[in-house]
mmCIF file of all heavy atoms in Angstrom:
data_model
loop_
_atom_site.group_PDB
_atom_site.id
_atom_site.type_symbol
_atom_site.label_atom_id
_atom_site.label_comp_id
_atom_site.label_asym_id
_atom_site.label_seq_id
_atom_site.Cartn_x
_atom_site.Cartn_y
_atom_site.Cartn_z
ATOM 1 N N LEU G 143 -4.081 28.525 30.965
ATOM 2 C CA LEU G 143 -4.594 27.166 31.104
ATOM 3 C C LEU G 143 -5.773 26.941 30.165
ATOM 4 O O LEU G 143 -5.867 25.909 29.493
ATOM 5 C CB LEU G 143 -5.005 26.892 32.551
ATOM 6 C CG LEU G 143 -5.628 25.518 32.828
ATOM 7 C CD1 LEU G 143 -4.618 24.416 32.543
ATOM 8 C CD2 LEU G 143 -6.120 25.436 34.256
ATOM 9 N N VAL G 144 -6.679 27.898 30.122
ATOM 10 C CA VAL G 144 -7.834 27.790 29.215
ATOM 11 C C VAL G 144 -7.362 27.713 27.771
ATOM 12 O O VAL G 144 -7.883 26.909 26.975
ATOM 13 C CB VAL G 144 -8.800 28.971 29.437
ATOM 14 C CG1 VAL G 144 -9.883 29.010 28.367
ATOM 15 C CG2 VAL G 144 -9.434 28.891 30.815
ATOM 16 N N LEU G 145 -6.366 28.514 27.407
ATOM 17 C CA LEU G 145 -5.829 28.469 26.045
ATOM 18 C C LEU G 145 -5.243 27.100 25.726
ATOM 19 O O LEU G 145 -5.502 26.544 24.655
ATOM 20 C CB LEU G 145 -4.757 29.554 25.863
ATOM 21 C CG LEU G 145 -4.059 29.562 24.505
ATOM 22 C CD1 LEU G 145 -5.036 29.953 23.416
ATOM 23 C CD2 LEU G 145 -2.865 30.484 24.527
ATOM 24 N N TYR G 146 -4.472 26.528 26.633
ATOM 25 C CA TYR G 146 -3.876 25.214 26.400
ATOM 26 C C TYR G 146 -4.945 24.133 26.231
ATOM 27 O O TYR G 146 -4.838 23.271 25.355
ATOM 28 C CB TYR G 146 -2.937 24.831 27.531
ATOM 29 C CG TYR G 146 -1.771 25.787 27.725
ATOM 30 C CD1 TYR G 146 -1.188 25.940 28.967
ATOM 31 C CD2 TYR G 146 -1.276 26.541 26.672
ATOM 32 C CE1 TYR G 146 -0.125 26.804 29.151
ATOM 33 C CE2 TYR G 146 -0.217 27.415 26.849
ATOM 34 C CZ TYR G 146 0.355 27.542 28.098
ATOM 35 O OH TYR G 146 1.405 28.398 28.283
ATOM 36 N N VAL G 147 -5.971 24.218 27.060
ATOM 37 C CA VAL G 147 -7.062 23.235 26.944
ATOM 38 C C VAL G 147 -7.783 23.414 25.611
ATOM 39 O O VAL G 147 -8.154 22.421 24.960
ATOM 40 C CB VAL G 147 -8.024 23.359 28.146
ATOM 41 C CG1 VAL G 147 -9.284 22.552 27.934
ATOM 42 C CG2 VAL G 147 -7.340 22.921 29.426
ATOM 43 N N MET G 148 -7.970 24.638 25.181
ATOM 44 C CA MET G 148 -8.648 24.877 23.910
ATOM 45 C C MET G 148 -7.804 24.401 22.718
ATOM 46 O O MET G 148 -8.362 23.919 21.726
ATOM 47 C CB MET G 148 -9.004 26.359 23.753
ATOM 48 C CG MET G 148 -10.023 26.851 24.764
ATOM 49 S SD MET G 148 -11.504 25.834 24.866
ATOM 50 C CE MET G 148 -12.255 26.148 23.310
ATOM 51 N N VAL G 149 -6.496 24.509 22.819
ATOM 52 C CA VAL G 149 -5.632 23.992 21.755
ATOM 53 C C VAL G 149 -5.775 22.475 21.661
ATOM 54 O O VAL G 149 -5.877 21.902 20.559
ATOM 55 C CB VAL G 149 -4.155 24.394 21.998
ATOM 56 C CG1 VAL G 149 -3.215 23.611 21.114
ATOM 57 C CG2 VAL G 149 -3.988 25.895 21.762
ATOM 58 N N LEU G 150 -5.804 21.806 22.807
ATOM 59 C CA LEU G 150 -6.009 20.355 22.801
ATOM 60 C C LEU G 150 -7.388 19.993 22.239
ATOM 61 O O LEU G 150 -7.514 19.040 21.457
ATOM 62 C CB LEU G 150 -5.858 19.784 24.206
ATOM 63 C CG LEU G 150 -4.444 19.752 24.762
ATOM 64 C CD1 LEU G 150 -4.459 19.297 26.217
ATOM 65 C CD2 LEU G 150 -3.571 18.839 23.924
ATOM 66 N N ALA G 151 -8.404 20.742 22.628
ATOM 67 C CA ALA G 151 -9.752 20.480 22.116
ATOM 68 C C ALA G 151 -9.808 20.688 20.605
ATOM 69 O O ALA G 151 -10.443 19.920 19.888
ATOM 70 C CB ALA G 151 -10.762 21.374 22.818
ATOM 71 N N MET G 152 -9.135 21.715 20.108
ATOM 72 C CA MET G 152 -9.127 21.973 18.669
ATOM 73 C C MET G 152 -8.407 20.844 17.927
ATOM 74 O O MET G 152 -8.844 20.430 16.843
ATOM 75 C CB MET G 152 -8.435 23.318 18.383
ATOM 76 C CG MET G 152 -8.550 23.752 16.976
ATOM 77 S SD MET G 152 -10.268 24.053 16.577
ATOM 78 C CE MET G 152 -10.136 24.424 14.878
ATOM 79 N N GLY G 153 -7.341 20.343 18.496
ATOM 80 C CA GLY G 153 -6.647 19.197 17.896
ATOM 81 C C GLY G 153 -7.554 17.971 17.846
ATOM 82 O O GLY G 153 -7.604 17.256 16.834
ATOM 83 N N PHE G 154 -8.298 17.732 18.913
ATOM 84 C CA PHE G 154 -9.253 16.617 18.941
ATOM 85 C C PHE G 154 -10.316 16.794 17.877
ATOM 86 O O PHE G 154 -10.647 15.848 17.144
ATOM 87 C CB PHE G 154 -9.891 16.503 20.326
ATOM 88 C CG PHE G 154 -11.048 15.561 20.363
ATOM 89 C CD1 PHE G 154 -10.836 14.193 20.383
ATOM 90 C CD2 PHE G 154 -12.353 16.039 20.363
ATOM 91 C CE1 PHE G 154 -11.910 13.320 20.408
ATOM 92 C CE2 PHE G 154 -13.419 15.170 20.382
ATOM 93 C CZ PHE G 154 -13.207 13.808 20.402
ATOM 94 N N LEU G 155 -10.873 17.985 17.773
ATOM 95 C CA LEU G 155 -11.917 18.230 16.775
ATOM 96 C C LEU G 155 -11.389 18.071 15.354
ATOM 97 O O LEU G 155 -12.072 17.525 14.480
ATOM 98 C CB LEU G 155 -12.495 19.633 16.951
ATOM 99 C CG LEU G 155 -13.355 19.833 18.187
ATOM 100 C CD1 LEU G 155 -13.734 21.303 18.349
ATOM 101 C CD2 LEU G 155 -14.592 18.976 18.129
ATOM 102 N N THR G 156 -10.168 18.529 15.113
ATOM 103 C CA THR G 156 -9.572 18.398 13.785
ATOM 104 C C THR G 156 -9.376 16.922 13.428
ATOM 105 O O THR G 156 -9.711 16.497 12.319
ATOM 106 C CB THR G 156 -8.241 19.153 13.727
ATOM 107 O OG1 THR G 156 -8.474 20.521 14.075
ATOM 108 C CG2 THR G 156 -7.616 19.077 12.349
ATOM 109 N N LEU G 157 -8.834 16.155 14.359
ATOM 110 C CA LEU G 157 -8.630 14.733 14.109
ATOM 111 C C LEU G 157 -9.959 14.015 13.915
ATOM 112 O O LEU G 157 -10.104 13.182 13.001
ATOM 113 C CB LEU G 157 -7.852 14.102 15.271
ATOM 114 C CG LEU G 157 -7.591 12.601 15.156
ATOM 115 C CD1 LEU G 157 -6.697 12.319 13.958
ATOM 116 C CD2 LEU G 157 -6.960 12.078 16.427
ATOM 117 N N ASN G 158 -10.935 14.330 14.730
ATOM 118 C CA ASN G 158 -12.256 13.707 14.619
ATOM 119 C C ASN G 158 -12.895 14.018 13.269
ATOM 120 O O ASN G 158 -13.451 13.135 12.619
ATOM 121 C CB ASN G 158 -13.138 14.184 15.770
ATOM 122 C CG ASN G 158 -14.424 13.414 15.860
ATOM 123 O OD1 ASN G 158 -14.472 12.228 15.553
ATOM 124 N ND2 ASN G 158 -15.473 14.072 16.288
ATOM 125 N N THR G 159 -12.795 15.250 12.830
ATOM 126 C CA THR G 159 -13.346 15.638 11.544
ATOM 127 C C THR G 159 -12.625 14.945 10.402
ATOM 128 O O THR G 159 -13.252 14.460 9.452
ATOM 129 C CB THR G 159 -13.278 17.172 11.365
ATOM 130 O OG1 THR G 159 -13.968 17.779 12.452
ATOM 131 C CG2 THR G 159 -13.892 17.609 10.056
ATOM 132 N N PHE G 160 -11.308 14.861 10.489
ATOM 133 C CA PHE G 160 -10.532 14.176 9.448
ATOM 134 C C PHE G 160 -10.946 12.705 9.351
ATOM 135 O O PHE G 160 -11.160 12.188 8.252
ATOM 136 C CB PHE G 160 -9.035 14.275 9.765
ATOM 137 C CG PHE G 160 -8.186 13.360 8.916
ATOM 138 C CD1 PHE G 160 -7.943 13.670 7.592
ATOM 139 C CD2 PHE G 160 -7.640 12.218 9.453
ATOM 140 C CE1 PHE G 160 -7.172 12.833 6.805
ATOM 141 C CE2 PHE G 160 -6.871 11.380 8.678
ATOM 142 C CZ PHE G 160 -6.631 11.689 7.343
ATOM 143 N N LEU G 161 -11.061 12.032 10.485
ATOM 144 C CA LEU G 161 -11.432 10.618 10.471
ATOM 145 C C LEU G 161 -12.852 10.425 9.941
ATOM 146 O O LEU G 161 -13.124 9.472 9.210
ATOM 147 C CB LEU G 161 -11.298 10.020 11.870
ATOM 148 C CG LEU G 161 -9.866 9.934 12.398
ATOM 149 C CD1 LEU G 161 -9.863 9.435 13.839
ATOM 150 C CD2 LEU G 161 -9.004 9.044 11.517
ATOM 151 N N ARG G 162 -13.765 11.334 10.279
ATOM 152 C CA ARG G 162 -15.133 11.232 9.780
ATOM 153 C C ARG G 162 -15.166 11.427 8.268
ATOM 154 O O ARG G 162 -15.856 10.697 7.555
ATOM 155 C CB ARG G 162 -16.028 12.250 10.455
ATOM 156 C CG ARG G 162 -17.492 12.076 10.057
ATOM 157 C CD ARG G 162 -18.400 13.054 10.749
ATOM 158 N NE ARG G 162 -18.251 12.992 12.174
ATOM 159 C CZ ARG G 162 -18.419 14.038 12.988
ATOM 160 N NH1 ARG G 162 -18.750 15.210 12.484
ATOM 161 N NH2 ARG G 162 -18.276 13.910 14.281
ATOM 162 N N PHE G 163 -14.443 12.418 7.751
ATOM 163 C CA PHE G 163 -14.405 12.646 6.304
ATOM 164 C C PHE G 163 -13.798 11.458 5.575
ATOM 165 O O PHE G 163 -14.272 11.075 4.507
ATOM 166 C CB PHE G 163 -13.642 13.923 5.969
ATOM 167 C CG PHE G 163 -14.428 15.170 6.161
ATOM 168 C CD1 PHE G 163 -13.791 16.383 6.338
ATOM 169 C CD2 PHE G 163 -15.810 15.175 6.172
ATOM 170 C CE1 PHE G 163 -14.506 17.548 6.518
ATOM 171 C CE2 PHE G 163 -16.543 16.332 6.348
ATOM 172 C CZ PHE G 163 -15.876 17.522 6.526
ATOM 173 N N ARG G 164 -12.740 10.889 6.139
ATOM 174 C CA ARG G 164 -12.123 9.736 5.504
ATOM 175 C C ARG G 164 -13.089 8.557 5.438
ATOM 176 O O ARG G 164 -13.183 7.866 4.431
ATOM 177 C CB ARG G 164 -10.845 9.345 6.252
ATOM 178 C CG ARG G 164 -10.014 8.330 5.492
ATOM 179 C CD ARG G 164 -8.662 8.138 6.081
ATOM 180 N NE ARG G 164 -8.791 7.443 7.361
ATOM 181 C CZ ARG G 164 -7.771 7.044 8.083
ATOM 182 N NH1 ARG G 164 -6.546 7.317 7.703
ATOM 183 N NH2 ARG G 164 -7.957 6.416 9.215
ATOM 184 N N SER G 165 -13.851 8.356 6.503
ATOM 185 C CA SER G 165 -14.854 7.293 6.522
ATOM 186 C C SER G 165 -15.945 7.564 5.497
ATOM 187 O O SER G 165 -16.370 6.645 4.762
ATOM 188 C CB SER G 165 -15.458 7.189 7.923
ATOM 189 O OG SER G 165 -16.531 6.298 7.930
ATOM 190 N N LEU G 166 -16.393 8.801 5.401
ATOM 191 C CA LEU G 166 -17.421 9.138 4.413
ATOM 192 C C LEU G 166 -16.911 8.989 2.988
ATOM 193 O O LEU G 166 -17.640 8.532 2.104
ATOM 194 C CB LEU G 166 -17.916 10.569 4.639
ATOM 195 C CG LEU G 166 -18.793 10.775 5.868
ATOM 196 C CD1 LEU G 166 -19.096 12.259 6.057
ATOM 197 C CD2 LEU G 166 -20.064 9.978 5.768
ATOM 198 N N GLU G 167 -15.651 9.350 2.742
ATOM 199 C CA GLU G 167 -15.084 9.186 1.407
ATOM 200 C C GLU G 167 -15.040 7.720 1.009
ATOM 201 O O GLU G 167 -15.330 7.367 -0.134
ATOM 202 C CB GLU G 167 -13.675 9.779 1.343
ATOM 203 C CG GLU G 167 -13.664 11.286 1.294
ATOM 204 C CD GLU G 167 -12.260 11.856 1.341
ATOM 205 O OE1 GLU G 167 -11.291 11.086 1.574
ATOM 206 O OE2 GLU G 167 -12.115 13.069 1.176
ATOM 207 N N LYS G 168 -14.706 6.848 1.958
ATOM 208 C CA LYS G 168 -14.685 5.412 1.675
ATOM 209 C C LYS G 168 -16.088 4.905 1.361
ATOM 210 O O LYS G 168 -16.286 4.139 0.423
ATOM 211 C CB LYS G 168 -14.094 4.639 2.841
ATOM 212 C CG LYS G 168 -13.960 3.155 2.559
ATOM 213 C CD LYS G 168 -13.447 2.404 3.752
ATOM 214 C CE LYS G 168 -13.305 0.929 3.515
ATOM 215 N NZ LYS G 168 -14.278 0.300 2.662
ATOM 216 N N LYS G 169 -17.086 5.369 2.122
ATOM 217 C CA LYS G 169 -18.458 4.947 1.865
ATOM 218 C C LYS G 169 -18.937 5.432 0.507
ATOM 219 O O LYS G 169 -19.604 4.696 -0.231
ATOM 220 C CB LYS G 169 -19.383 5.466 2.957
ATOM 221 C CG LYS G 169 -19.207 4.759 4.280
ATOM 222 C CD LYS G 169 -20.107 5.363 5.350
ATOM 223 C CE LYS G 169 -19.860 4.691 6.689
ATOM 224 N NZ LYS G 169 -20.674 5.300 7.754
ATOM 225 N N ILE G 170 -18.596 6.665 0.158
ATOM 226 C CA ILE G 170 -19.001 7.201 -1.138
ATOM 227 C C ILE G 170 -18.319 6.436 -2.273
ATOM 228 O O ILE G 170 -18.943 6.145 -3.302
ATOM 229 C CB ILE G 170 -18.696 8.714 -1.218
ATOM 230 C CG1 ILE G 170 -19.656 9.470 -0.299
ATOM 231 C CG2 ILE G 170 -18.803 9.231 -2.639
ATOM 232 C CD1 ILE G 170 -19.312 10.932 -0.128
ATOM 233 N N THR G 171 -17.054 6.091 -2.096
ATOM 234 C CA THR G 171 -16.347 5.321 -3.115
ATOM 235 C C THR G 171 -16.983 3.959 -3.312
ATOM 236 O O THR G 171 -17.212 3.516 -4.443
ATOM 237 C CB THR G 171 -14.866 5.159 -2.724
ATOM 238 O OG1 THR G 171 -14.279 6.454 -2.592
ATOM 239 C CG2 THR G 171 -14.101 4.363 -3.754
ATOM 240 N N ASP G 172 -17.312 3.281 -2.216
ATOM 241 C CA ASP G 172 -17.971 1.976 -2.316
ATOM 242 C C ASP G 172 -19.325 2.097 -2.984
ATOM 243 O O ASP G 172 -19.717 1.272 -3.821
ATOM 244 C CB ASP G 172 -18.123 1.344 -0.929
ATOM 245 C CG ASP G 172 -16.796 0.953 -0.308
ATOM 246 O OD1 ASP G 172 -15.794 0.865 -1.051
ATOM 247 O OD2 ASP G 172 -16.766 0.738 0.929
ATOM 248 N N LEU G 173 -20.077 3.142 -2.646
ATOM 249 C CA LEU G 173 -21.377 3.364 -3.259
ATOM 250 C C LEU G 173 -21.236 3.638 -4.761
ATOM 251 O O LEU G 173 -22.010 3.105 -5.565
ATOM 252 C CB LEU G 173 -22.085 4.536 -2.576
ATOM 253 C CG LEU G 173 -23.466 4.895 -3.096
ATOM 254 C CD1 LEU G 173 -24.429 3.750 -2.905
ATOM 255 C CD2 LEU G 173 -23.970 6.143 -2.406
#
């Protein structure tokens, strides 16, 4: 159960990091 929850948490962190980087890339491009 702990492993399954950690897999879900890792997926969330990966998606969150991807979206943050994409937002930063757009800001850098505009700048």
